[in-house]
Amino acid sequence: MSRAITDCIINRNSTSYCQLSPTCKGWGCRFLTTPIEEIPVTEQEKAKLFSKVYREAKRKGVLECPHYRSMFIDEVLASLNHDRN
């Protein structure tokens, strides 16, 4: 596990600690910064963005965090489509 992730786990004091900012939940972890260049519409576009964020999480060691769940990515994708309607 990376030192940054370990330090983050130790310093975490609430569920909002993982958010990018008080008003932005982001991908469920402050270390994940994959931008949403275009809101995905099709299942293929959603899958592509999910894969991109998941690869970033894996590369940065976020998947090793006991507080992180990859379902956060699905929740963000679902909320994007909900916000469009």
Side-chain angles (χ1 to χ4, degrees), residues 2-36:
S2 77
R3 180 70 185 171
I5 299 298
T6 302
D7 289 345
C8 188
I9 293 166
I10 292 167
N11 293 320
R12 184 178 188 265
N13 55 15
S14 72
T15 55
S16 63
Y17 182 82
C18 301
Q19 294 179 192
L20 288 175
S21 73
T23 58
C24 181
K25 182 178 178 179
W27 295 111
C29 174
R30 60 179 57 214
F31 290 105
L32 300 179
T33 58
T34 299
I36 301 171

Side-chain angles (χ1 to χ4, degrees), residues 2-72:
S2 77
R3 180 70 185 171
I5 299 298
T6 302
D7 289 345
C8 188
I9 293 166
I10 292 167
N11 293 320
R12 184 178 188 265
N13 55 15
S14 72
T15 55
S16 63
Y17 182 82
C18 301
Q19 294 179 192
L20 288 175
S21 73
T23 58
C24 181
K25 182 178 178 179
W27 295 111
C29 174
R30 60 179 57 214
F31 290 105
L32 300 179
T33 58
T34 299
I36 301 171
E37 296 166 359
E38 202 170 297
I39 296 177
V41 178
T42 67
E43 291 304 315
Q44 184 178 9
E45 291 170 342
K46 291 177 196 175
K48 186 176 179 180
L49 183 54
F50 180 95
S51 294
K52 192 174 183 181
V53 177
Y54 191 87
R55 280 192 307 271
E56 180 189 13
K58 187 174 181 179
R59 181 174 40 82
K60 290 183 175 179
V62 171
L63 298 179
E64 297 176 53
C65 176
H67 305 291
Y68 188 74
R69 304 286 180 265
S70 59
M71 70 179 172
F72 291 138

